[in-house]
């Protein structure tokens, strides 16, 4: 079977989205879940039926599937346990002010914050300052208590836990990846350090361009089980089989940042080896049972039970806010030091901005990448977790502000949302700057 | 492709178990989950790896997979909500007495209750009397807070809710199935009433013999997605497509009881049509949010999002006990009338014992089947929910006793456990008879 044919078959099954179709984006108001009636009826009408193959497309399927991923895929629970829910205190009087806040968009247009949320297909957004909720909105008919896929925001959970394990001396950032994972001795990770994987500066022969149907991300998606695998597909059908097949890149490790989800899959594998726990169990033990979360979370699994460490965590909006607020507070939340302040400080320091430029992510000017987090290096020291289709944690330590958003943007690229999010969040910071605790 | 070849391929993927292998049953002590190390390691050793295809076999895979089914299959949450957990008060001093209780087995052998639990591969068992827990044991390394598949105990949840809807006038037991489901107009359910489906006396051309590889249950299993479907399998790949293909039986409807899981799938479909809710949502709204459950439950789904209404509910042992206790109490539990007393009374009345005999279930002498429950008609008026591989709810109203058990018996037949359960439960009832509340 020719490679092109294989990839052709998989086109409808994985997370490819063409950046070039931006002109055809649907009116966000036309793709509300409650209006669409996706998966309603027994059986649903043929054009409302979503199966595993339709997880990502056609749009608007994600409007339903991004908060029902466990109904399409195997999943592992991340239990909240039975501790009390931590209260998120409410501030008053800011909801309308924030919705009406205006800012200048990338093309010089005036836009309100509410328009920004609509136009980026937000499913839910929550804004806190000084630990109080200023704004909480669920849009498009998305329920507030149903976990939503975080996509690459997952990476920042894994990166934070790796940083914590480094602080505890359980993981050595200077050690070779292959010291933990001999399985990768003949792969592209040979010679790379754990820190280079954390910062995605290890160089591997792997392209991640969602708009390119020949991109390796298709092979990754099939190995992870993000859609049905053609019966005669000759490639790897699970992550542990796939990762060792990725060859060396052309450059030396450590030269430049290139965003590769497979680095996080390797990182997740290392953490399992080090802790003896699944990624879900580690998140559960270290975070979910401590944050006073409201709902069990879950992680999506490949066909052999390995989590999608780079993409597969599903949580509710308020629980995501609890996690983000804990990070803002230097790891102390719900009456406990959950993550060490030093681990979070290490992330906030940021990575190498020159190495970051190599990735060509012009929509994140001045950024760096450190331990699976995006560091803005703006005057407020803001830093972020980002997932395709508009998932986001934004933490502004100076203003004491956190924004978390869940989303189902039709296009799988942060290039769609970041040019709006950056000025919107700057305006929001200015609005809130100087407000007393 | 020849039928035999198709079924041959599927043999390893579905729930077939040969009754004839009873002589080869493993020592229960040798198949403890914690000793077996199933799915431990990253990746697990090849002989410890369980995939969807290994859900049922080889044994001892079920020891792991029966409480990790969501890690192999798509699932839908049955949320507990955020109400307080209902307390299950503890009685004292009966644990050892029950374990040591002896009774006479079917071959005249003396056996202790503890031996009965061991020899029937119990994963967890809980016994209550007068609302207090006398005995609670988890065996074989099975964790107490992880939902466990109930198999056909699921049917009794669906049957109870159907009975409740009848009491409320929402469902007419005398109406034709096809009045609710025109899709079945040309199927074996043509002419059958809802009550005949509830009692499994509608006659369809469908055999359910787990030990027979040519049994229709294989087609059902593939339609439900209980294992990977061969790519060239020509049959139905989801339940809504499969059910209309089942033809009429040879007898008139209503003549005799024959146990058919597909009747419950039809019943589940009817309830969705009537209520506009998925089976999971109905169980959640009517039961799970009211019982003071400890954990979210979940239901397994076919490839198009329909629950396995006859087999796919997963709950923890204590939550199953709450459900059973509510039924024992005539529907009143946790300070609410959750199900009407009349609905439960209707079930307890039982079905037609003569019609029951046609099924040849000699291991349930004197029983009848009513609204998806097994009625013993013994002097205590005991009635039961049963699932293959040893799942059970046993309610003895006279003694005020409830026993729930979760299990992973190697053989998919109640004929394996009932000949022991009946005398064991009779001895237990005698032990507890006359104990004050």
């Amino acid at each position: 079977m020719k490679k092109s044919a294989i990839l052709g078959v998989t086109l409808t099954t994985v997370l490819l989205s063409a950046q070039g179709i931006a002109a055809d984006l649907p009116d966000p108001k036309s793709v509300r879940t409650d209006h669409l009636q996706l998966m309603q009826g027994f059986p649903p009408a043929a054009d409302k039926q979503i199966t595993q193959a339709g997880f990502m497309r056609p749009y608007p399927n994600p409007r339903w599937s991004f908060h029902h991923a466990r109904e399409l895929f195997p999943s592992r629970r991340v239990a909240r346990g039975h501790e009390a829910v931590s209260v998120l205190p409410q501030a008053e009087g800011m909801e309308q002010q924030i919705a009406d806040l205006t800012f200048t968009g990338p093309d010089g247009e005036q836009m309100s914050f509410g328009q920004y949320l609509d136009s980026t297909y937000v499913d839910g957004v929550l804004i806190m300052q000084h630990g109080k909720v200023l704004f909480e909105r669920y849009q498009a008919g998305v329920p507030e208590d149903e976990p939503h896929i975080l996509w690459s925001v997952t990476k920042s959970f894994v990166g934070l836990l790796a940083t914590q394990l480094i602080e505890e001396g359980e993981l050595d950032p200077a050690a070779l990846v292959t010291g933990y994972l001999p399985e990768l001795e003949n792969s592209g990770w040979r010679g790379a350090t754990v820190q280079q994987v954390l910062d995605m500066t290890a160089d591997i022969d792997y392209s991640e361009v969602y708009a390119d149907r020949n991109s390796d991300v298709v092979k990754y998606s099939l190995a992870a089980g993000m859609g049905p695998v053609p019966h005669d597909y000759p490639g790897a059908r699970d992550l542990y089989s796939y990762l060792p097949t990725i060859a060396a890149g052309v450059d030396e490790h450590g030269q430049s940042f290139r965003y590769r989800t497979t680095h996080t899959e390797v990182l997740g594998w290392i953490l399992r080896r080090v802790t003896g726990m699944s990624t879900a169990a580690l998140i559960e033990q270290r975070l979910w049972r401590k944050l006073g979360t409201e709902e069990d979370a879950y992680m999506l699994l490949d066909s052999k039970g390995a989590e999608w460490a780079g993409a597969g965590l599903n949580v509710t909006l308020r629980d995501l806010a609890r996690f983000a607020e804990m990070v803002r507070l230097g790891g102390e939340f719900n009456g406990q030091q959950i993550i060490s302040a030093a681990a979070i400080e290490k992330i906030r320091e940021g990575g190498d901005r020159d190495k970051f430029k190599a990735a060509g992510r012009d929509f994140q000017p001045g950024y760096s990448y450190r331990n699976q987090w995006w560091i803005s290096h703006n005057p407020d020291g803001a830093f972020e977790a980002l997932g395709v289709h508009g998932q986001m944690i934004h933490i502004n330590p100076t203003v004491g502000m956190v924004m978390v958003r869940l989303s189902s943007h039709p296009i799988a690229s942060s290039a769609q949302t970041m040019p709006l999010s950056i000025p919107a969040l700057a305006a929001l910071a200015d609005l809130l700057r100087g407000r007393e605790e």
Side-chain angles (χ1 to χ4, degrees), chain A:
Chain A
M1 195 171 194
K2 282 190 303 183
K3 179 177 177 181
S4 60
I6 294 162
L7 297 179
V9 167
T10 64
L11 262 186
T12 58
T13 70
V14 293
L15 70 166
L16 295 176
S17 297
Q19 294 183 12
I21 64 166
D24 299 327
L25 287 177
D27 176 0
K29 291 195 185 356
S30 74
V31 288
R32 288 180 55 91
T33 302
D34 44 358
H35 297 170
L36 290 167
Q37 298 287 303
L38 294 167
M39 288 296 279
Q40 299 300 302
F42 309 101
D47 64 338
K48 304 299 184 187
Q49 175 75 56
I50 300 177
T51 64
Q52 204 179 77
F55 181 38
M56 304 298 300
R57 42 180 42 204
Y59 206 81
N61 284 5
R63 272 262 133 118
W64 181 89
S65 56
F66 283 9
H67 59 278
H68 291 94
R70 69 175 284 179
E71 301 185 22
L72 300 172
F73 300 98
S75 64
R76 181 168 294 139
R77 179 166 71 149
V78 178
R80 65 169 301 278
H82 293 97
E83 299 301 315
V85 173
S86 56
V87 175
L88 296 179
Q90 301 291 314
E92 279 182 34
M94 295 296 290
E95 186 90 12
Q96 196 58 47
Q97 204 173 343
I98 289 173
D100 293 342
L101 172 68
T102 59
F103 65 94
T104 305
D107 301 321
E109 74 279 25
Q110 287 298 298
M111 186 179 247
S112 74
F113 200 86
Q115 287 172 321
Y116 151 69
L117 298 179
D118 284 341
S119 69
T120 51
Y121 301 84
V122 154
D123 293 329
V125 66
L126 193 152
I127 298 165
M128 299 178 74
Q129 187 188 26
H130 306 318
K132 291 184 179 168
V133 178
L134 303 183
F135 188 95
E136 181 178 0
R137 181 183 286 187
Y138 300 87
Q139 299 200 149
V142 170
E144 63 186 70
D145 65 345
E146 197 69 61
H148 189 292
I149 189 164
L150 295 185
W151 292 114
S152 294
V153 171
T154 308
K155 294 179 171 72
S156 302
F157 279 75
V158 174
L160 181 68
L161 291 173
T163 311
Q164 175 67 18
L165 290 167
I166 289 169
E167 285 299 315
E168 295 174 9
E170 298 296 315
L171 177 65
D172 179 3
L176 291 178
V177 168
T178 51
Y180 294 104
L181 301 176
E183 292 93 334
L184 297 180
E185 194 59 59
N186 297 313
S187 80
W189 283 280
R190 183 188 179 104
T193 66
V194 170
Q195 187 60 51
Q196 289 165 339
V197 165
L198 273 162
D199 290 341
M200 297 208 190
T201 60
D203 193 46
I204 53 174
D205 180 18
Y206 176 90
S207 70
E208 182 151 337
V209 182
Y210 302 123
D212 177 2
R213 64 181 62 188
N214 292 310
S215 172
D216 295 300
V217 75
V218 176
K219 295 180 196 168
Y220 162 70
S221 304
L222 290 171
M226 293 184 181
V229 181
H231 78 274
D232 51 357
Y233 175 65
R237 291 164 178 266
D238 66 273
L239 291 165
Y240 293 133
S241 301
Y242 174 57
L243 295 171
T245 71
I246 297 175
V250 291
D251 295 333
E252 280 185 44
H253 294 307
Q255 300 304 301
S256 53
F257 167 72
R258 287 202 184 82
Y259 187 72
R260 305 283 182 261
T261 294
T262 44
H263 285 318
T264 317
E265 297 299 341
V266 166
L267 183 63
W269 194 357
I270 291 171
L271 296 196
R272 291 172 207 141
R273 209 34 81 74
V274 166
T275 64
M277 301 174 78
S278 71
T279 305
L282 184 64
I283 292 174
E284 175 177 312
Q285 183 200 61
R286 295 283 189 145
L287 298 170
W288 227 245
R289 289 181 179 270
K290 294 182 174 178
L291 286 164
T293 49
E294 282 178 51
E295 299 290 344
D296 289 353
Y298 63 87
M299 293 198 77
L300 300 172
L301 306 178
D302 78 0
S303 64
K304 291 196 165 174
E307 295 95 346
W308 308 352
L313 183 60
N314 293 254
V315 310
T316 65
L317 186 67
R318 277 197 296 272
D319 285 341
L320 186 62
R322 289 181 171 90
F323 171 75
E325 182 68 2
M326 179 274 289
V327 174
R328 182 184 77 81
L329 292 170
E332 191 179 350
F333 187 78
N334 196 27
Q336 304 161 75
Q337 191 73 38
I338 295 175
I339 296 290
S340 78
I344 291 167
E345 191 50 44
K346 188 179 288 182
I347 287 167
R348 286 181 55 183
E349 284 170 7
D352 187 314
R353 296 166 75 180
D354 286 329
K355 289 180 182 174
F356 188 89
K357 287 179 186 161
R361 295 172 74 98
D362 297 337
F363 53 86
Q364 290 172 292
Y367 274 61
S368 72
Y369 193 77
R370 166 51 60 95
N371 288 16
Q372 312 277 308
W373 288 76
W374 306 91
I375 317 301
S376 78
H377 297 280
N378 74 6
D380 287 344
F383 58 111
E384 294 165 343
L386 297 176
V388 281
H389 303 284
Q391 325 312 315
M392 185 182 218
I393 296 172
H394 176 91
I395 299 172
N396 182 324
T398 303
V399 179
M401 174 180 95
V402 159
M403 181 179 88
V404 291
R405 51 172 280 162
L406 301 170
S407 175
S408 53
H409 196 287
I411 297 180
S413 167
S414 295
Q416 294 292 321
T417 47
M418 286 303 283
L420 291 171
S421 291
I422 290 173
L425 285 160
L428 183 61
D430 286 341
L431 175 69
L432 301 181
R433 197 179 304 278
R435 274 186 83 244
E436 289 182 10
E437 295 204 21

